[in-house]
Amino acid sequence: MMFWPQNTTPFLWGVATSSHQVEGGNNNDWTQWENAGKVTEKSGDSSLHYHKYREDLQLFSQIGVNAYRYSLEWSRIEPKPGQFDHKALDHYREMTQDVLRHHMEPLITLHHFTLPPWFAKQGGFFHPEAANLFGRYVQKVVDTLGNLCRFYVTINEPMVYAVMGYGTGQWPPGHKSLKELWQIGPRLLACHQEAYHRVKSQRPDAMVGLSHHLLAFSPYDTYSRLDRINARIMHYLFNERFIQWTRSTADFIGVNYYSQQYASHRQFLVPILHKPGATPLTDMEWEIHPERLEELLVALKSFDKPLIITENGIATSDDALRQQFILDHLTAISHAQNRGAIVRGYFYWSALDNFEWAEGYRPRFGLIEVDYTTQNRTLRDSAYLYRRIIDANQGHWPINIPPKPEQPVSVL
Ligand code: FCB
């Protein structure tokens, strides 16, 4: 049964970040990974959002958003097993109060890729007590913030976490093991379920779900039957399986959508990022395919759950391309709504330029530009465009896309 607190919650127009990518000064398994030289750049101070969140929230409200998705850093909240840091909890409570003061709905992510070192050292989500330990942390969070926050993502992108940490080994813990890749899914599922029940028993009206990275897989050669089969299998394993597993423990489906990738029988289950000569590419070398988002959203109708786009965005140094990206993806969402997809929110990734994991600081995803030397913030033209779209959509349903400005928009 589809449920949405409709009378009290308008369409969520938001921006998103995650703790390790913007806070600065973290001490988690990613920090250790960076210190061990596994990636070229360290997160370091990042965008100093931990200290500058007040200023940042002001900027977000200039963009006109009514929602903010951010993650809590478990390693700050529980730096040692069972010992909670009240300063960190107070920090997140004050920050959430500030989010509310700016008339934004908080959407809190409980796990966005990083772990406290003690938990990582004991095997992370392979710890035999992982679900209880994760549940204990989540309990502390809802005891502290539950009365302030109604929307929760338990785990961000379980499949990306699984593939990068246990398949390709590019992220911590850096394992390349088919066996672990296969086994980590059910572990993450158990943690999600535990978190879901903890939040719901504290706050039955909470909306709890996961954010799934959905990749639109295409056969590399559309005439190859094997490529088509490979694309179908990848779609099932990467996009669909976890959503099916959480049919009874998710109040909404969080969709993170960025791109299309290719399936070829020449490399079974390993996608090809883009076709040679594909253009334009983002600075992550991802192709741009808004029409595939429409298709994915329409396909999700069969789950009969509200959909929230918890991430969508582009890394580019060309802000005109970012503006086009936003317009095209929102148009795709509006088409999906016209075809019956119940989309209840859109969060642009990212509010601020930030630390893009193994890619470091080069990719610029922000609506707000960060100068990492001075920590000065500047709203990009795309932020003003986003504001215009939000203004044009107070109460509109489905999303109404205002005509594309002839010149880049630069005035509020
Ligand atoms: C998503 C992640 C997010 C960010 C974007 C670009 O997969 O959830 O942290 O890195 O990609």
Side-chain angles (χ1 to χ4, degrees), residues 19 23 26-28 50 70-93 96 108-111 114-118 133-134 136-145:
S19 55
E23 283 185 345
N26 275 320
N27 178 18
N28 55 36
Y50 198 79
Y70 50 103
S71 72
L72 307 185
E73 187 54 44
W74 181 6
S75 58
R76 287 186 191 268
I77 292 177
E78 193 180 358
K80 294 203 177 117
Q83 288 182 27
F84 292 94
D85 182 333
H86 290 281
K87 275 207 189 116
L89 285 163
D90 287 349
H91 167 90
Y92 288 121
R93 194 174 162 83
T96 305
I108 286 180
T109 309
L110 296 162
H111 174 258
T114 54
L115 296 177
W118 61 264
L133 295 170
F134 187 60
R136 181 175 67 181
Y137 147 70
V138 171
Q139 187 65 51
K140 197 71 182 172
V141 169
V142 284
D143 287 347
T144 314
L145 300 175

Side-chain angles (χ1 to χ4, degrees), residues 108-391:
I108 286 180
T109 309
L110 296 162
H111 174 258
H112 197 122
F113 297 155
T114 54
L115 296 177
W118 61 264
F119 185 69
K121 202 168 155 211
Q122 292 173 29
F125 290 110
F126 279 108
H127 190 301
E129 288 297 312
N132 286 337
L133 295 170
F134 187 60
R136 181 175 67 181
Y137 147 70
V138 171
Q139 187 65 51
K140 197 71 182 172
V141 169
V142 284
D143 287 347
T144 314
L145 300 175
N147 63 336
L148 300 179
C149 178
R150 194 159 44 135
F151 286 86
Y152 295 86
V153 162
T154 55
I155 296 181
N156 179 66
E157 300 186 345
M159 287 312 298
V160 170
Y161 183 79
V163 168
M164 300 303 276
Y166 296 92
T168 68
Q170 285 161 289
W171 290 5
H175 298 182
K176 288 185 195 176
S177 153
L178 259 184
K179 186 172 163 225
E180 286 183 341
L181 177 58
W182 193 248
Q183 289 174 341
I184 189 73
R187 305 295 176 131
L188 293 170
L189 175 66
C191 291
H192 158 75
Q193 288 166 335
E194 181 69 27
Y196 179 86
H197 293 302
R198 297 266 188 165
V199 179
K200 295 292 274 194
S201 50
Q202 178 83 8
R203 193 162 175 176
D205 69 334
M207 295 291 288
V208 187
L210 300 105
S211 289
H212 302 275
H213 191 120
L214 298 193
L215 273 170
F217 292 107
S218 280
Y220 193 83
D221 171 1
T222 33
Y223 295 105
S224 156
R225 190 156 176 265
L226 284 177
D227 286 11
R228 291 200 304 269
I229 292 173
N230 195 9
R232 182 64 213 142
I233 296 174
M234 278 158 57
H235 174 75
Y236 171 69
L237 289 176
F238 192 83
N239 294 334
E240 241 174 35
R241 204 168 56 127
F242 225 96
I243 301 182
Q244 284 185 1
W245 283 352
T246 49
R247 268 181 193 275
S248 59
T249 53
D251 303 315
F252 64 88
I253 299 173
V255 173
N256 295 355
Y257 176 79
Y258 291 91
S259 190
Q260 157 172 296
Q261 292 187 6
Y262 296 93
S264 161
H265 63 283
R266 288 177 211 282
Q267 42 180 77
F268 187 59
L269 295 187
V270 179
I272 297 168
L273 213 57
H274 61 82
K275 287 204 168 175
T279 162
L281 285 184
T282 76
D283 289 354
M284 299 288 282
E285 302 200 354
W286 294 345
E287 291 186 9
I288 302 176
H289 289 281
E291 74 289 354
R292 304 299 307 275
L293 173 59
E294 174 183 341
E295 191 189 307
L296 286 166
L297 293 174
V298 170
L300 287 173
K301 273 165 55 179
S302 63
F303 287 94
D304 196 27
K305 287 186 194 292
L307 309 173
I308 301 179
I309 313 300
T310 40
E311 289 181 28
N312 175 241
I314 177 173
T316 178
S317 51
D318 174 0
D319 196 58
L321 186 59
R322 189 185 330 275
Q323 294 179 45
Q324 194 62 52
F325 183 99
I326 294 173
L327 283 169
D328 292 346
H329 284 77
L330 286 171
T331 303
I333 294 168
S334 137
H335 289 165
Q337 288 177 319
N338 286 326
R339 292 171 63 192
I342 306 298
V343 183
R344 299 294 198 187
Y346 175 87
F347 289 77
Y348 179 81
W349 181 276
S350 173
L352 303 164
D353 286 339
N354 61 53
F355 178 72
E356 178 50 33
W357 309 110
E359 317 292 326
Y361 284 107
R362 184 189 50 86
R364 299 285 187 149
F365 275 95
L367 288 177
I368 301 172
E369 181 185 343
V370 176
D371 177 330
Y372 293 112
T373 321
T374 59
Q375 286 294 341
N376 281 343
R377 272 84 162 127
T378 314
L379 263 64
R380 295 196 162 104
D381 286 343
S382 46
Y384 295 109
L385 170 73
Y386 193 34
R387 160 120 217 178
R388 267 188 78 224
I389 296 171
I390 296 172
D391 283 350

